[in-house]
């Protein structure tokens, strides 16, 4: 029984949405993910998927990609990415599959660890950060607090947070999001979103007591990363 993580699957089972604009390593990337997943993940394991799951524009189209994930072994816990336009009612999503849990204003658990999260957004201090961006960012802060509060109310002291966006800006400044992570004594944060040249300079490792882990699938060579055994 183990906990794994990966993000940015960018599935397009029934559409033509090539990802090789980010490099030739993206050719047939879904098959690479599947091969690695089947090689190391069992039905007893749990996999955290931190957003950008499917290119589909609605849940009708997205079901093919969700089915692809559903057929892989293990339990899956997912948060929304910026390209997940198919993401619909959280209540309906959590009724789709008994092995797939979707986080939005809620949390799930792995053993004694609470898995919390939200999508996140572009952080203040980034270039061209607008008043519109600020509204969305503040909403994501609220959603993260709701998720964390639910875990704390249920007695959890060990917490892993899943984000899609990085928790900071390109200057690696302390953000309100990072302050919330510290306030709730979060132990680990996984996030994705970044591809290509953006992966050359990352906010990762143990920073002021929190371990930040980048799980963009191209960064992981399309191979799920072991988080906990």
């Amino acid at each position: 029984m183990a906990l794994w993580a990966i993000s940015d699957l960018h599935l397009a089972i029934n559409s033509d949405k090539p990802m090789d604009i980010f490099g030739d390593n993206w050719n047939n990337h879904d098959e690479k993910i599947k091969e690695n997943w089947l090689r190391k993940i069992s039905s007893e394991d749990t996999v955290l998927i931190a957003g950008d799951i499917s290119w589909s524009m609605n849940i009708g189209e997205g079901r093919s990609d969700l089915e692809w994930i559903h057929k892989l072994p293990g339990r899956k816990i997912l948060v929304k990415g910026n390209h997940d336009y198919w993401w619909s009612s959280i209540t309906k999503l959590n009724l789709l599959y008994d092995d797939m849990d979707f986080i939005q204003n809620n949390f799930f658990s792995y053993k004694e660890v609470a898995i919390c999260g939200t999508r996140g957004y572009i952080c203040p201090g980034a270039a061209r950060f607008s008043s519109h961006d600020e509204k969305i960012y503040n909403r994501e802060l609220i959603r993260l607090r709701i998720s964390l509060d639910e875990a704390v109310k249920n007695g959890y002291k060990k917490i892993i947070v899943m984000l899609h966006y990085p928790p900071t800006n390109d200057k690696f400044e302390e953000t309100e999001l990072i302050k919330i992570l510290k306030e709730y004594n979060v132990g680990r944060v996984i996030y994705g979103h970044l591809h290509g040249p953006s992966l050359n300079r990352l906010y990762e490792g143990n920073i002021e007591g929190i371990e930040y882990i980048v799980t963009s699938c191209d960064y992981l060579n399309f191979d799920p990363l072991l988080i906990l055994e």
Side-chain angles (χ1 to χ4, degrees):
M1 190 175 188
L3 182 68
W4 305 82
I6 193 168
S7 66
D8 302 87
L9 305 186
H10 288 290
L11 296 175
I13 302 302
N14 287 330
S15 61
D16 182 21
K17 193 73 175 180
M19 287 291 292
D20 56 8
I21 58 169
F22 292 110
D24 292 340
N25 58 323
W26 280 91
N27 288 327
N28 300 315
H29 77 282
D30 55 334
E31 291 303 317
K32 296 176 185 178
I33 295 169
K34 183 177 181 179
E35 180 181 349
N36 288 322
W37 191 305
L38 293 174
R39 177 173 53 83
K40 64 202 309 186
I41 294 170
S42 75
S43 60
E44 300 300 315
D45 293 341
T46 296
V47 183
L48 308 181
I49 303 177
D52 276 4
I53 299 149
S54 166
W55 280 112
S56 298
M57 298 301 292
N58 57 65
I59 189 61
E61 297 172 359
R63 284 297 293 270
S64 296
D65 295 331
L66 295 180
E67 285 285 342
W68 187 90
I69 298 170
H70 167 60
K71 290 176 181 177
L72 294 172
R75 176 192 179 200
K76 303 90 180 177
I77 305 177
L78 307 90
V79 294
K80 185 179 183 179
N82 59 302
H83 290 297
D84 290 321
Y85 298 110
W86 55 270
W87 190 285
S88 59
S89 159
I90 191 65
T91 301
K92 292 180 179 178
L93 287 175
N94 276 316
L95 292 174
L96 289 177
Y97 306 100
D98 59 5
D99 64 340
M100 294 174 67
D101 298 318
F102 298 82
I103 292 180
Q104 185 173 302
N105 299 334
N106 55 356
F107 82 100
F108 295 96
S109 61
Y110 170 80
K111 297 182 179 179
E112 74 281 6
V113 180
I115 310 298
C116 300
T118 191
R119 181 187 64 175
Y121 200 62
I122 303 164
C123 290
R128 298 183 296 278
F129 186 82
S130 68
S131 58
H132 176 70
D133 294 330
E134 185 174 15
K135 290 178 182 178
I136 299 174
Y137 178 78
N138 288 336
R139 181 192 66 195
E140 290 299 306
L141 295 181
I142 292 169
R143 286 180 170 172
L144 178 58
R145 277 195 180 276
I146 291 172
S147 178
L148 290 165
D149 282 339
E150 288 299 309
V152 171
K153 287 176 186 176
N154 281 274
Y156 286 88
K157 299 185 184 302
K158 296 180 180 179
I159 301 173
I160 292 175
V161 163
M162 299 171 63
L163 302 170
H164 177 63
Y165 281 88
T168 185
N169 55 37
D170 55 1
K171 305 177 191 70
F172 295 167
E173 295 174 328
E174 183 176 67
T175 60
E176 288 301 315
L177 197 153
I178 290 176
K179 290 178 182 178
I180 292 174
L181 298 173
K182 290 180 179 178
E183 178 185 341
Y184 285 83
N185 295 312
V186 171
R188 287 186 173 97
V189 176
I190 72 166
Y191 72 92
H193 183 64
L194 303 176
H195 304 295
S198 297
L199 294 171
N200 293 329
R201 184 170 177 268
L202 297 170
Y203 194 78
E204 63 177 343
N206 191 306
I207 302 173
E208 297 185 28
I210 300 175
E211 184 180 3
Y212 295 90
I213 303 169
V214 181
T215 58
S216 301
C217 66
D218 48 335
Y219 186 62
L220 300 181
N221 199 26
F222 310 97
D223 193 0
L225 177 70
L226 180 63
I227 302 296
L228 285 173
E229 291 189 275

